[in-house]
Amino acid sequence: MRTLKVALLGCGVVGTEVARIMTTHAADLAARIGAPVELAGVAVRRANRPRPGIPEQLLTTDATELVKRDDIDVVIEVIGGIEPARSLILTAFDHGASVVSANKALLAADGAALHGAALKAGVDLYYEAAVAAAIPLVRPLRESLAGDKVNRVLGIVNGTTNFILDKMDSTGAGYSEALEEATALGYAEADPTADVEGFDAAAKAAILAGIAFHTRVTAADVFREGITEVTAADIASAKAMGCVVKLLAICERSADGRSVTARVHPAMIPLTHPLASVRGAYNAVFVEADAAGQLMFYGPGAGGSPTASAVLGDLVAVCRNKLAGSTGPGESAYAQLTVSPMDDVVTRYHVSLDVADKAGVLAQVATVFAEHGVSIDTVRQQGREGDASLVVVTHRATDAALSATVAELRSLDNVRDVASIMRVEGE
């Protein structure tokens, strides 16, 4: 039986680990696939850098020529970003190669076009590693739950932000201190913007929502709010409520089933919720479906080895399809549900106000909430030298109603500041 040849695009932390596993586990991979699999070329930016374990003759700086080779069966793309990754993937499809990718940003931005090109070429596009590294999510949603109706996907899908928030919760550290420690330990990049501002999680949310609800969802459809404004006071308020703060990716089907929402933002969740116990740089995703009920997927969501594990799992599946002359499941967007804006989302809120410590202030604040149809669940007030801290926790309300409430509160003479607003999830 012929040897299946693989081109690897990118040889950073993940690419190096993919190459290592392909070499050291070659016999096992061949047994599982049903044919030998060979690393036929590795595209890198600089070929003169030492790369232990990778034969020098496999290295090339011409990625385009590598994916154009007629003998390449599968292309593994782990370079990230939009370009040149998109052009290289499309070129690989044009030349009959299936693609395994870990590129969440590209898939969230242009997944529909990539799926269409793969379908036209009669090849596979697999991307388990794009969402949560070694944690199996894409395949369970796309295949295992294909006969079920998924209603909600709620998860922690970024290890960097989870580490930072966990450190703030467990040590009382401020955001800057926790970020500094995450950087020193290698959990945060030198430029952590994609993580701490929620871009990484938003891309993953778009991918998960698209698969779960059979609807095209892009990163632009996802409401995004990062963790840079989360303070030690917010963490303390959460503790007082028996909650913990997490950056959540939340994808939901509306009650009438006609629309979906996708959002990423910090939220307080009760300590009794399974996601509350997810510590450090770990990820976890909670899935709710009609027949299957509640499912939770947990594990390391980043890193060279975990991500390479997901890449190799896809490689085995794609190679098996090649041998069988078939392809796996592609895009499923038949439902074409409307993606609703954040204004329509209904949730609970924790609002912290700095107010004048005067009689009647609480009644004035409560009236503003009532005028906008936002029902109050609990209120906690603490006075301090002429001013007071007022914490209001609402019942469920739309984001639009809460925004209008806050806008009017800011105009009141007795409200010094709206110190923080945070959503409350997982009730």
Side-chain angles (χ1 to χ4, degrees):
M1 187 170 289
R2 73 181 182 92
T3 297
L4 295 167
K5 295 192 175 183
V6 177
L8 176 62
L9 307 183
C11 199
V13 174
V14 176
T16 299
E17 194 65 12
V18 168
R20 183 191 69 79
I21 295 173
M22 286 188 65
T23 302
T24 58
H25 293 70
D28 286 336
L29 289 172
R32 294 166 190 171
I33 292 168
V37 60
E38 173 190 323
L39 188 58
V42 182
V44 295
R45 289 182 180 177
R46 294 178 293 275
N48 57 354
R49 287 180 55 185
R51 290 178 171 83
I54 301 177
E56 189 175 335
Q57 64 269 22
L58 293 183
L59 301 177
T60 178
T61 57
D62 194 338
T64 301
E65 285 304 311
L66 177 60
V67 299
K68 283 183 176 180
R69 281 174 44 177
D70 292 333
D71 63 335
I72 297 297
D73 295 288
V74 181
V75 170
I76 297 175
E77 182 271 308
V78 289
I79 57 178
I82 304 300
E83 288 292 354
R86 173 167 43 198
S87 296
L88 291 170
I89 289 173
L90 293 175
T91 300
F93 290 158
D94 288 341
H95 287 77
S98 291
V99 171
V100 172
S101 176
N103 196 331
K104 52 189 165 285
L106 176 57
L107 289 159
D110 211 18
L114 294 175
H115 276 293
L119 179 64
K120 181 179 178 181
V123 295
D124 277 321
L125 172 61
Y126 275 48
Y127 43 90
E128 184 68 68
V131 176
I135 305 172
L137 278 173
V138 172
R139 200 166 300 163
L141 284 172
R142 190 163 67 172
E143 300 178 32
S144 303
L145 295 174
D148 207 340
K149 179 184 177 184
V150 176
N151 295 309
R152 196 172 195 232
V153 179
L154 169 74
I156 298 165
V157 294
N158 183 274
T160 300
T161 52
N162 199 57
F163 177 88
I164 292 171
L165 293 173
D166 183 38
K167 187 60 61 174
M168 292 174 69
D169 179 74
S170 60
T171 69
Y175 167 77
S176 297
E177 298 168 81
L179 173 60
E180 186 177 347
E181 183 172 352
T183 304
L185 293 172
Y187 293 128
E189 301 287 345
D191 179 1
T193 302
D195 293 322
V196 299
E197 294 291 357
F199 290 100
D200 175 86
K204 295 171 180 176
I207 294 170
L208 291 173
I211 298 170
F213 306 132
H214 305 279
T215 293
R216 287 178 178 169
V217 181
T218 70
D221 296 319
V222 181
F223 172 83
R224 175 191 55 79
E225 187 179 290
I227 67 166
T228 55
E229 301 301 318
V230 176
T231 66
D234 293 327
I235 302 294
S237 290
K239 282 188 174 182
M241 290 176 57
C243 293
V244 64
V245 177
K246 297 291 185 182
L247 182 72
L248 299 179
I250 305 170
C251 312
E252 294 178 304
R253 188 190 299 269
S254 64
D256 63 12
R258 296 177 182 176
S259 64
V260 298
T261 57
R263 50 197 165 105
V264 167
H265 54 70
M268 297 178 179
I269 57 174
L271 292 173
T272 52
H273 193 281
L275 291 178
S277 61
V278 179
R279 311 299 297 270
Y282 274 69
N283 285 188
V285 176
F286 205 67
V287 177
E288 299 175 10
D290 273 2
Q294 298 180 331
L295 308 170
M296 183 166 165
F297 302 83
Y298 170 84
S305 294
T307 306
S309 171
V311 168
L312 269 295
D314 278 350
L315 177 65
V316 170
V318 167
C319 286
R320 286 172 175 168
N321 292 341
K322 281 281 183 182
L323 292 177
S326 64
T327 57
E331 181 189 35
S332 174
Y334 73 90
Q336 299 181 347
L337 300 176
T338 300
V339 182
S340 296
M342 187 64 187
D343 280 353
D344 295 343
V345 170
V346 177
T347 188
R348 297 173 67 208
Y349 295 87
H350 175 282
V351 183
S352 180
L353 306 171
D354 292 335
V355 301
D357 191 8
K358 297 179 179 178
V361 172
L362 177 56
Q364 187 180 28
V365 168
T367 298
V368 172
F369 275 88
E371 287 175 348
H372 292 279
V374 181
S375 175
I376 294 176
D377 183 17
T378 62
V379 177
R380 187 172 73 253
Q381 184 172 358
Q382 182 176 354
R384 57 177 193 278
E385 299 179 2
D387 289 330
S389 173
L390 189 64
V391 175
V392 177
V393 179
T394 74
H395 287 293
R396 292 174 65 82
T398 65
D399 196 74
L402 196 281
S403 296
T405 302
V406 170
E408 185 170 343
L409 288 172
R410 292 185 192 277
S411 70
L412 299 179
D413 291 339
N414 287 325
V415 175
R416 311 289 194 228
D417 185 30
V418 179
S420 71
I421 304 168
M422 190 169 293
R423 295 165 183 87
V424 182
E425 300 285 347
E427 50 186 322

